[in-house]
Amino acid sequence: VTSRRPFCPQNPKPQRATILCEVIQRVSRALPCLAVLALAGCDAKPPPQREFALLEPPLAAHWQAAGIPGEGEVRIAEGVIRLAPGSPMTGARLAGDWEALGLPWIDYALTFEARRVEGQDFFATCTFPVGSPERCVSLVIGGWGGGLVGISSIDHFDASQNSTRGEMRFENGQWYRVRLEVRSDDLRVWINDAPMVNTSIKGRHLGLRADDIDHCVPLGFASFLSVGEIRAIKLERLSR
């Protein structure tokens, strides 16, 4: 490519002509840089979405019954998932292409509100991914007679047998706020701002309990002989 000297108009007034010529030269030198920046901007990808309201459009349409054998009615209306009693479980799951939906598999926080309307066992046990759809666990809320909280399963031990086991009294009809943080090295859970789980998962085997809870993967909720309701489900990317 041959370079051309920018045109400098002849002006009877030398000082003005000199200034105008310098401006034209500077602009001509800057044009290639501006073109490179413009092309680079065309290839730049927008940052990934950070927050997802899972019970609001368009994601609300992806919720469906989990298909657990013997499950009761699953009703999703007005931003609330209602799980009727099953024989013994009822579940709902978020279906669809996780990648196409832009949802993260790891480094995220999941928050929701849940309550047990009737019954005395778990009412909003949440199954969620830890890095991939093949590596999921469940946060049990109100299990084993109504008060157990923990993660099933870690190193092949369910929530009643591993170090995440905790106890909390759940009153029927009362809403509880749940926050779950999923990172590559640890899992953390708060219920009504009280810390319930804080466990390292580095180098540990994670999996699901050997029952029908696998119908809720990669993300879902289940109740056991109880009426459970879940609302305000939100997912947020966490900084690494």
Side-chain angles (χ1 to χ4, degrees):
V1 179
T2 58
S3 60
R4 297 182 179 180
R5 181 180 178 82
F7 170 73
C8 295
Q10 299 298 320
N11 193 302
K13 299 181 178 180
Q15 186 174 4
R16 285 186 181 180
T18 301
I19 294 173
L20 182 57
C21 186
E22 289 178 356
V23 170
I24 293 173
Q25 289 175 345
R26 290 178 182 178
V27 170
S28 65
R29 287 195 295 266
L31 284 175
C33 297
L34 293 174
V36 170
L37 290 174
L39 290 173
C42 292
D43 294 334
K45 295 181 179 179
Q49 185 175 342
R50 292 197 60 84
E51 296 183 358
F52 304 83
L54 302 186
L55 278 175
E56 297 179 9
L59 293 172
H62 291 274
W63 287 96
Q64 63 183 34
I68 297 173
E71 71 183 1
E73 179 188 13
V74 176
R75 183 159 54 92
I76 304 170
E78 298 179 353
V80 177
I81 298 174
R82 183 180 177 90
L83 306 175
S87 299
M89 288 198 302
T90 299
R93 64 183 289 266
L94 184 67
D97 186 335
W98 199 268
E99 303 290 346
L101 295 175
L103 299 170
W105 294 107
I106 198 70
D107 293 322
Y108 66 87
L110 182 70
T111 59
F112 58 91
E113 296 179 5
R115 69 177 178 179
R116 184 170 54 211
V117 180
E118 298 175 9
Q120 55 184 9
D121 215 290
F122 69 74
F123 55 97
T125 285
C126 179
T127 297
F128 58 93
V130 186
S132 74
E134 291 77 28
R135 195 176 189 233
C136 294
V137 294
S138 299
L139 168 63
V140 179
I141 301 177
W144 278 271
L148 187 141
V149 176
I151 301 295
S152 288
S153 295
I154 299 178
D155 293 333
H156 306 286
F157 292 100
D158 64 32
S160 69
Q161 300 172 309
N162 64 46
S163 61
T164 67
R165 175 173 180 157
E167 299 287 338
M168 185 172 185
R169 183 180 179 87
F170 294 100
E171 300 288 346
N172 284 4
Q174 180 178 334
W175 288 99
Y176 293 88
R177 301 185 311 277
V178 181
R179 180 178 176 86
L180 169 66
E181 293 188 359
V182 182
R183 294 182 174 87
S184 57
D185 289 343
D186 59 64
L187 301 176
R188 301 183 186 187
V189 177
W190 295 259
I191 300 180
N192 283 356
D193 300 323
M196 298 299 297
V197 174
N198 184 357
T199 188
S200 172
I201 57 172
K202 190 173 182 179
R204 306 180 74 178
H205 179 273
L206 301 182
L208 296 171
R209 196 168 186 267
D211 54 23
D212 292 320
I213 199 68
D214 60 347
H215 287 73
C216 292
V217 300
L219 178 64
F221 295 89
S223 66
F224 187 95
L225 296 174
S226 301
V227 179
E229 291 184 340
I230 306 98
R231 68 184 183 185
I233 309 171
K234 296 181 180 180
L235 190 149
E236 175 189 359
R237 292 182 189 272
L238 295 175
S239 299
R240 295 186 179 183

